[in-house]
Amino acid sequence: MKLYNTLSRKVEEFVPIKPGKVGMYICGPTVYDYSHIGHSRTYVNSDVLIRVLRWLNFQVKSVMNITDVGHLTSNADEGEDKMEKKARTESKNILEIAKFYTDDFWQMEQQLNIIKPDIVTPATQYIAAMIELVKKLEQKGFTYQTKDGLYFDTSKLKDYGQLARLDIAGLREGWRVEKRAKKNPTDFALWKFSKKDEKRQMEWSSPWGIGFPGWHIECSAMSMKHLGESFDIHTGGVDHIPVHHTNEIAQSEAATGKQFVKYWFHSNFLDINGEKMSKSLGNFIRLQDLVDKGYEPMSLRYLFLTSHYRTKMNFTFKALDGGQEAYKKLKAIVAGWQEDKGRTSLSEEKLNKVTNLVFKFREAVENDLNLPQALAVVWEMAKSNISSRDKLELITDWEQILGLDLLTPVQLIKVPEEVKKLIKNREALRKKEMWAEADAIRKEIEKKGFKVSDTKLDTVRL
Ligand code: AMP
Ligand code: ZN
């Protein structure tokens, strides 16, 4: 399989460290607020990666963190801890907040058919491992202390910033060391001290004083704890390249002297109106908002699969309507194959077609996860003249990657209340023989992705 590696900026042949096995770490959410569909895109992409690897018979061990402490409102180790801030402004207990938004996150993941990671690591349960890692860095001379914490000295590493191709000299320009507590602009906190005038809900004692871990050290400590000092794949959104992942590499490699991660997999953003969807910009949409409007989560998953993970995607309701329509159509077609299981004799021509489709689908997913291309092969297969039974066999296999819930019987699809209402109105109009009005409602229903059968007015099918 070929995979783009942010580290080399090249599409490379994927060769795991141990043959047949893959260790993968997924940068998880900071659980101080609701997840939005921008997050969903990144997690659907890493889900597809895991599914493809498993489909190719790799044994994957996946680990995801839940950041419930240490992620500050500013990337420059300043500002407040996001969790503490939320707890303070809402006068709540941090554990309650973490639980509430973690549950929200899992619900979103489940609705989108994202396979749960094998191991989930809440940061607050790994403080001892983080302290051990920081001690190692201290012993090796990579740390220094300031008034507010223990810092990593990035000038001690020859190739600091390689992942992001950072212009270190440029960053130094205008940086006045005498005015700052940090020695270098890129240095980052490993351990922050609790402020004397502030009461934190979450703090721990450490050899350096009472406080809490830096966000980056969390991911290094937890990933290495479960996957070893060197592992195969680390995923996250592209925004993590210049700071979070760059610093994970610096401290992990400084501590172990080994390469931390072989392949860096980064998902591009979901934008809205040309801007990154984010909590701070307040332009975000939750999956639940879409469900409330009558969209199916699978329509969003389908929409995500139509765009390559390395390209930016701009979210619009028009695009989602298109995704919903295509998804429902495909699901209805698959339902048709399930009903019609007859297999016409496989002529040589058809046999060749099946072989060709199998080849093309595999080629697409192995080519740096080209899911848009793989979906095109799905439609080519759907429109071909091979038998329904063969089609069903192919889609059953490919569903392991697509994860679109295409095989669940179509009748189980929930009809939104507003559509049910429209059907009722239409029924009433037909009884009064108001055909034109009834027809207008039929069109409205179809716009929402449903079709009414005229022989049986109370049944709805896709
Ligand atoms: P956070 O909870 O902010 O750390 O984000 C969790 C993950 O979602 C990270 O890997 C982010 O890069 C990713 N992410 C956040 N916003 C977006 C977005 N608009 N599009 C795609 N990924 C995003
Ligand atoms: Zn991380």
Side-chain angles (χ1 to χ4, degrees), residues 26-43 45 65 67 71 82 105 215 235-241 244-245 266-272 275-279 283-284 313:
I26 305 148
C27 249
T30 306
V31 285
Y32 71 105
D33 207 338
Y34 289 112
S35 306
H36 56 67
I37 59 172
H39 300 125
S40 308
R41 180 176 188 217
T42 286
Y43 294 110
N45 286 334
N65 64 295
T67 298
H71 194 168
K82 293 186 183 189
F105 175 77
W215 174 37
T235 73
V238 288
D239 51 337
H240 286 345
I241 300 171
H244 185 47
H245 291 167
H266 289 108
S267 239
N268 213 328
F269 289 147
L270 182 70
D271 282 358
I272 186 159
E275 274 187 309
K276 180 193 172 194
M277 185 177 287
S278 74
K279 289 170 198 166
N283 59 358
F284 64 89
M313 182 174 196

Side-chain angles (χ1 to χ4, degrees), residues 324-337:
Q324 172 128 308
E325 198 178 317
Y327 171 65
K328 290 197 164 178
K329 195 166 155 193
L330 183 58
K331 179 136 180 156
I333 292 173
V334 173
W337 301 337

Side-chain angles (χ1 to χ4, degrees), residues 170-435:
L171 286 169
R172 279 188 182 283
E173 264 171 46
W175 167 266
R176 303 274 304 274
V177 76
E178 65 274 18
K179 287 195 174 170
R180 325 267 178 164
K182 292 200 292 187
K183 290 186 185 169
N184 306 288
T186 46
D187 292 354
F188 57 90
L190 297 164
W191 188 263
K192 290 272 282 187
F193 303 138
S194 298
K195 286 188 188 138
K196 298 229 159 42
D197 55 347
E198 169 200 89
K199 180 74 200 117
R200 286 181 59 94
Q201 286 191 33
M202 291 283 189
E203 56 186 9
W204 295 265
S205 50
S206 80
W208 313 282
I210 293 175
F212 57 99
W215 174 37
H216 320 304
I217 200 77
E218 298 179 0
C219 282
S220 287
M222 295 188 289
S223 60
M224 291 200 282
K225 175 113 190 147
H226 289 289
L227 299 169
E229 291 180 342
S230 295
F231 58 92
D232 300 293
I233 305 177
H234 193 310
T235 73
V238 288
D239 51 337
H240 286 345
I241 300 171
V243 181
H244 185 47
H245 291 167
T246 288
N247 293 345
E248 277 189 48
I249 294 175
Q251 60 202 1
S252 307
E253 299 192 350
T256 68
K258 296 179 190 158
Q259 184 178 39
F260 175 44
V261 169
K262 210 171 165 191
Y263 301 90
W264 285 89
F265 176 91
H266 289 108
S267 239
N268 213 328
F269 289 147
L270 182 70
D271 282 358
I272 186 159
N273 301 322
E275 274 187 309
K276 180 193 172 194
M277 185 177 287
S278 74
K279 289 170 198 166
S280 49
L281 289 174
N283 59 358
F284 64 89
I285 297 174
R286 292 173 56 210
L287 180 61
Q288 192 55 45
D289 299 331
L290 300 180
V291 171
D292 292 344
K293 284 184 190 290
Y295 290 101
E296 276 199 53
M298 283 301 104
S299 307
L300 183 68
R301 185 171 170 111
Y302 183 96
L303 180 66
F304 287 156
L305 300 187
T306 62
S307 132
H308 190 263
Y309 77 90
R310 283 198 284 127
T311 359
K312 260 194 185 188
M313 182 174 196
N314 193 43
F315 177 83
T316 61
F317 277 97
K318 193 161 172 245
L320 184 61
D321 286 337
Q324 172 128 308
E325 198 178 317
Y327 171 65
K328 290 197 164 178
K329 195 166 155 193
L330 183 58
K331 179 136 180 156
I333 292 173
V334 173
W337 301 337
Q338 284 169 319
E339 275 166 30
D340 169 24
K341 292 217 182 76
R343 175 179 259 159
T344 50
S345 62
L346 209 53
S347 66
E348 197 169 331
E349 178 237 46
K350 286 185 186 167
L351 189 62
N352 284 342
K353 260 188 203 161
V354 173
T355 316
N356 190 253
L357 287 162
V358 168
F359 175 81
K360 277 163 82 172
F361 184 87
R362 189 182 177 110
E363 190 181 45
V365 297
E366 282 188 328
N367 180 16
D368 192 25
L369 308 189
N370 193 339
L371 266 294
Q373 183 60 36
L375 275 185
V377 178
V378 170
W379 283 105
E380 184 187 334
M381 178 273 280
K383 288 173 187 159
S384 77
N385 64 353
I386 62 173
S387 74
S388 298
R389 179 104 163 251
D390 291 319
K391 288 178 177 175
L392 197 55
E393 270 176 26
L394 288 174
I395 203 70
T396 304
D397 183 36
W398 298 347
E399 245 296 277
Q400 293 174 66
I401 289 172
L402 303 172
L404 283 169
D405 194 25
L406 290 168
L407 301 163
T408 314
V410 103
Q411 287 84 340
L412 294 183
I413 287 178
K414 213 171 145 241
V415 181
E417 280 309 313
E418 53 172 344
V419 175
K420 281 187 190 159
K421 254 191 217 153
L422 287 171
I423 294 163
K424 267 204 170 145
N425 291 348
R426 180 173 178 273
E427 204 173 334
L429 291 167
R430 280 173 62 84
K431 277 193 184 133
K432 289 187 210 152
E433 300 193 347
M434 295 166 74
W435 307 117

